[in-house]
Amino acid sequence: LSPVCLGSLRRAASINAEYMGISLRYPERGGVIKITSYSFNAVLGPRADQNAVFEAGAISSMVSRVIEGFNATVISYGQTSSGKTYTMEGFTYGRTKRGIYAPRFHDMQREHYGLSLNAIHELFKQINNRPPKHEVIRTKVSFCQIYQDIPFDLLSTASKSKMIPLKIRWRNEFFVENLFTYEITTVEEAIDYLQKGIKRRVLASHQLNKASSRSHCLYTLTVERVFNNKTITSRLVLVDLAGSERMTHTGYEKAQTFKEAVKINRSLMVLRNCVDILAAGKSRVHVPYRDSTLTKLLQTSLGGNSLTLLVACVVPSDKYCSENANTLRYAARASKVYNSPAINEDPREALIRKMKKEKVPTAWPLV
């Protein structure tokens, strides 16, 4: 896992981008100042723009590996209101005529494009710029949200209020059953499906964020490459996690919002437990992927067959030192998790091709 840290901490932290490190300073009892340092693949300060995040995360390289047949995952992690959704999307949110907060797509500027939009543009750019070969590349998209540990299809034909809960099934890996998948051929189609899904996502307001995500969202681009009678299928999964929340800071006024926060914190706790076990590097130790829907769907991304980038976002305020310390500690642990990415070739096709290449010995004639 490759962690990238975003954000700034006024007086509470010092960022040293040259050495890819960040130091967190916060007071303890007795007036003692504790200093903890963390090292990451990249550390970006408050002046870094979206293009800097794209370059630091090496998204272009990840996209090229996806076209070759490798899986890749980008995960944004942090407490609520730390900028995870803006980092992934780049859209601004405002109040509508009905008094609710919703994303604004019409005034979107290219320099504000988040990792998801830039990854979509980069994917189709690389596909269109590939030299002429005897190959066919098909691209598909799906979009699901995990709300209160239950998966829902953000691209289903049902209305937002009538979305049907889906089930998790197992076939070589965990997947969402009956999830709508659409074939796309252009950047515009991919972005259109992304915006449709974002509009249907569950949002709520609290003291830290007027448009807080109440669900984990997984936007998946599937690439199928057919050449030399082989089919290689790979995925680029863009994950916008809901932020961890502390009740004393968010100030919930509705019981439903409180219930959502409990589910969010529990799923993130299971995610951290899985990362802690994987980072320890001990063999024959049970990893509790099955304890939450989120970790089931991210099993391949965590210690499995995937290139994974973790973007850790911190809040620019001294008030949230403990939450930022938890985020940085988790990202540091995630950097010790080693995945084993490999090209996703159909095992049956590989076996058939291998058998065809093997020479069958000539049978001796019977006398």
Side-chain angles (χ1 to χ4, degrees):
L1 287 161
S2 301
V4 174
C5 184
L6 305 182
S8 66
L9 299 173
R10 292 191 296 267
R11 300 191 308 278
S14 61
I15 296 176
N16 194 331
E18 181 180 357
Y19 295 101
M20 307 303 178
I22 179 170
S23 298
L24 184 65
R25 302 191 303 267
Y26 54 93
E28 292 187 330
R29 292 180 181 179
V32 178
I33 303 298
K34 183 178 179 180
I35 302 177
T36 307
S37 299
Y38 304 90
S39 297
F40 302 105
N41 292 74
V43 177
L44 302 177
R47 298 179 185 232
D49 57 13
Q50 295 281 45
N51 185 64
V53 180
F54 180 82
E55 295 295 333
I59 304 299
S60 179
S61 176
M62 294 182 71
V63 168
S64 65
R65 301 299 294 274
V66 169
I67 298 175
E68 292 174 10
F70 293 87
N71 293 330
T73 306
V74 180
I75 304 173
S76 64
Y77 178 87
Q79 80 162 95
T80 185
S81 75
S82 60
K84 302 179 302 301
T85 299
Y86 178 76
T87 301
M88 294 301 294
E89 301 172 1
F91 302 120
T92 58
Y93 286 72
R95 190 184 293 273
T96 64
K97 295 181 179 179
R98 294 185 295 171
I100 61 175
Y101 282 85
R104 294 172 174 171
F105 302 130
H106 61 280
D107 57 353
M108 184 69 172
Q109 301 294 328
R110 181 61 191 266
E111 58 267 21
H112 296 301
Y113 279 12
L115 292 178
S116 297
L117 291 172
N118 281 324
I120 291 171
H121 279 272
E122 184 65 24
L123 175 64
F124 282 94
K125 174 185 174 183
Q126 293 193 22
I127 290 176
N128 295 331
N129 290 340
R130 288 178 68 84
K133 295 180 181 179
H134 297 290
E135 65 177 8
V136 176
I137 298 179
R138 292 187 292 265
T139 309
K140 300 178 181 179
V141 63
S142 63
F143 201 179
C144 83
Q145 71 171 354
I146 303 172
Y147 177 66
Q148 298 194 35
D149 211 42
I150 301 174
F152 292 87
D153 192 348
L154 291 175
L155 299 182
S156 68
T157 55
S159 62
K160 182 178 179 179
S161 60
K162 296 182 180 179
M163 286 194 295
I164 301 174
L166 303 179
K167 294 183 179 180
I168 301 292
R169 300 297 187 190
W170 170 266
R171 188 171 60 238
N172 299 323
E173 63 180 0
F174 289 107
F175 68 98
V176 181
E177 188 179 38
N178 297 325
L179 186 67
F180 275 76
T181 302
Y182 297 91
E183 187 166 349
I184 54 176
T185 57
T186 63
V187 172
E188 291 73 21
E189 287 180 334
I191 294 178
D192 182 56
Y193 282 120
L194 176 65
Q195 292 178 347
K196 284 182 178 178
I198 291 174
K199 287 180 181 179
R200 297 159 62 88
R201 193 175 49 184
V202 180
L203 302 176
S205 298
H206 53 69
Q207 292 181 4
L208 296 183
N209 193 349
K210 296 300 182 183
S212 175
S213 301
R214 314 311 295 164
S215 63
H216 309 298
C217 295
L218 290 76
Y219 180 81
T220 304
L221 290 161
T222 303
V223 178
E224 293 182 355
R225 188 160 65 99
V226 182
F227 65 102
N228 295 335
N229 295 324
K230 294 193 300 183
T231 301
I232 295 179
T233 303
S234 54
R235 297 189 304 267
L236 174 61
V237 186
L238 305 168
V239 184
D240 181 16
L241 296 178
S244 57
E245 300 180 1
R246 181 168 291 187
M247 316 305 176
T248 55
H249 293 159
T250 49
Y252 299 116
E253 298 179 355
K254 298 181 180 179
Q256 180 66 20
T257 312
F258 176 80
K259 182 179 178 181
E260 293 167 350
V262 171
K263 292 288 187 178
I264 291 171
N265 289 339
R266 182 189 177 279
S267 63
L268 294 177
M269 180 190 68
V270 175
L271 177 62
R272 288 193 293 268
N273 290 342
C274 292
V275 169
D276 286 340
I277 295 174
L278 292 169
K282 296 180 180 179
S283 59
R284 299 183 180 179
V285 177
H286 172 68
V287 182
Y289 292 115
R290 293 177 179 267
D291 287 358
S292 78
T293 301
L294 176 63
T295 48
K296 285 179 182 178
L297 297 180
L298 292 183
Q299 181 176 1
T300 300
S301 305
L302 302 173
N305 177 23
S306 176
L307 301 162
T308 303
L309 170 69
L310 175 68
V311 182
C313 302
V314 292
V315 180
S317 174
D318 299 350
K319 184 178 180 181
Y320 308 107
C321 280
S322 60
E323 288 81 0
N324 290 323
N326 291 335
T327 299
L328 296 174
R329 193 179 303 114
Y330 168 77
R333 292 289 289 172
S335 65
K336 299 179 181 179
V337 177
Y338 291 91
N339 288 3
S340 302
I343 293 180
N344 298 306
E345 186 177 4
D346 189 337
R348 291 176 297 180
E349 293 183 358
L351 179 61
I352 293 173
R353 189 172 63 258
K354 180 180 178 181
M355 294 178 65
K356 286 182 177 179
K357 289 183 178 180
E358 292 180 352
K359 295 182 179 180
V360 180
T362 304
W364 290 98
L366 295 177
V367 178

